[in-house]
Each structure stands twice: as structure tokens, then as C-alpha cells.
Amino acid sequence: MTNAPPPIEQKPGFGHRLSDFLLERLPVWLAKLAAPGLRCEPGVVVKTPSRLRLGRNVVLQRRATLHCGGKDWCAWGGGIELADGVVIGTNCTLYGAGTIRIGAYSHLGPGAMIMAQAGDVTSRNRLTSRPGHVNEPVTIGQGVWIGAGAVILGNTTLGDNCVVGPNSVVSGTYDEGTTLIGNPARAVQRRTSE
């Protein structure tokens, strides 16, 4: 897997913005040229594809949405990085303005969401069409399973081999092998590797 793109401190030039505009309108399956073994099903949407990094044999199932940041409202930052063998399930949504990194062979069940950004409820602009945003990173280790409908919030780190139950809402840092369930999620089991 390649390194994440460097953070952009200033507004990208016209050429860069035009490139992203055109790439967003091309079929996502064209990414197969750059990502060996990519399986991309119909209806997948990728916003700001220049900030998406894919490992080998990634699967993007039907109607998954990957918003990779790189827009003015997130200070031109963010990105999504999917390591080898990651599976993004049907109807999953990843908002990567705060940067999302998912380790090898992790799976997101249908309808799971990863939100590396949120609205800033303390913003003076809250009652406008351009409210403030809080962009925080999400890091998911290798071999993590995230159940259907689960929500992973910004500033969350899941260690290798964690399991998140369906419809759980997760925030915080969890060691490897932790099983999380509920809203808010709580640790119910910790498996150790031998």
C-alpha cells in the first residue's frame, strides 16, 4: 500500500481541482488500472479520488460511498487508505475529511459508516449553510470486522482483530482483539493471540 498523500495546507490549483472533478465522473472500475485485483460493484461513488489509496484485492460492494476529503470545507485535508484485501460492504459510507486508514483484510458489513468528521456544534456558523467541521482521524487495524449498521466516529483507533457488533456506535481507543457492542459501544470481550 502506498503512503497517504501529504496534507495540503492551501487550496489546490485549478488543474488539481479539475482533475478531481473529471475523475469523480468516470466509472470507478477504471481504478483497476492503478489497483491490482480491485473488485468494484455498480453504484460505488468516490469523491476526490486523488486522495484514495488502495491496496491489492480491495472489494467495494454496491452503492458504497467514499468521500476522501480534499474540499474547502475540510481545509483541503483528509484521505482514505485501504490496505490489501479490505472489503467495504454494500451501502457503506466513509467520510474521510479527517483521514481514514483501514488495515489489511478488515471487513465492513452492510450499511456501516466511518465518520472522520462531524459538525462543530460550538461553531458560530452553525446556523448557516457553511457550519464549522471537526476533522479527526480514524485508524482501524488488520483483520477487524465491523458489523452491519455500525458507526465508527472520529478520533477512534481499533487495534488488530477487533470485532464491532451490528449497530454499535464506537468512539475511543481499543486494544487488539477487543469485541465491542452497543450504543455507546462497550468492550465485552478481549481475545489474546497466541
Side-chain angles (χ1 to χ4, degrees):
M1 185 153 83
T2 62
N3 292 331
I8 298 174
E9 305 263 334
Q10 60 189 14
K11 183 176 180 177
F14 175 76
H16 186 258
R17 292 193 319 266
L18 178 62
S19 170
D20 271 334
F21 176 83
L22 294 173
L23 285 172
E24 287 173 5
R25 279 138 187 88
L26 292 173
V28 177
W29 56 264
L30 286 177
K32 287 183 179 183
L33 300 173
L38 173 67
R39 193 173 96 209
C40 185
E41 297 179 359
V44 171
V45 175
V46 178
K47 295 291 185 180
T48 323
S50 64
R51 302 190 70 79
L52 175 63
R53 302 289 178 254
L54 299 173
R56 295 179 168 277
N57 302 315
V58 169
V59 177
L60 303 175
Q61 293 180 346
R62 293 181 179 274
R63 296 177 303 281
T65 300
L66 288 75
H67 194 303
C68 304
K71 303 291 185 182
D72 63 342
W73 56 266
C74 62
W76 310 104
I80 296 176
E81 189 175 331
L82 306 176
D84 295 347
V86 169
V87 176
I88 305 297
T90 301
N91 292 324
C92 284
T93 303
L94 282 68
Y95 279 107
T99 306
I100 296 171
R101 288 188 176 87
I102 301 178
Y105 306 105
S106 292
H107 292 244
L108 275 70
M113 297 179 77
I114 300 178
M115 308 295 292
Q117 74 227 28
D120 182 359
V121 296
T122 64
S123 171
R124 291 182 183 178
N125 297 331
R126 185 172 176 203
L127 300 177
T128 69
S129 63
R130 304 285 304 209
H133 291 87
V134 176
N135 302 318
E136 299 174 319
V138 173
T139 304
I140 296 172
Q142 297 183 22
V144 174
W145 287 12
I146 298 175
V151 178
I152 311 298
L153 300 175
N155 207 23
T156 295
T157 301
L158 298 175
D160 294 346
N161 303 310
C162 283
V163 175
V164 176
N167 298 314
S168 298
V169 177
V170 180
S171 179
T173 300
Y174 297 91
D175 295 331
E176 72 175 86
T178 302
T179 299
L180 303 157
I181 61 168
N183 178 6
R186 64 189 186 286
V188 294
Q189 179 181 10
R190 182 149 188 275
R191 295 176 319 284
T192 56
S193 46
E194 298 179 36

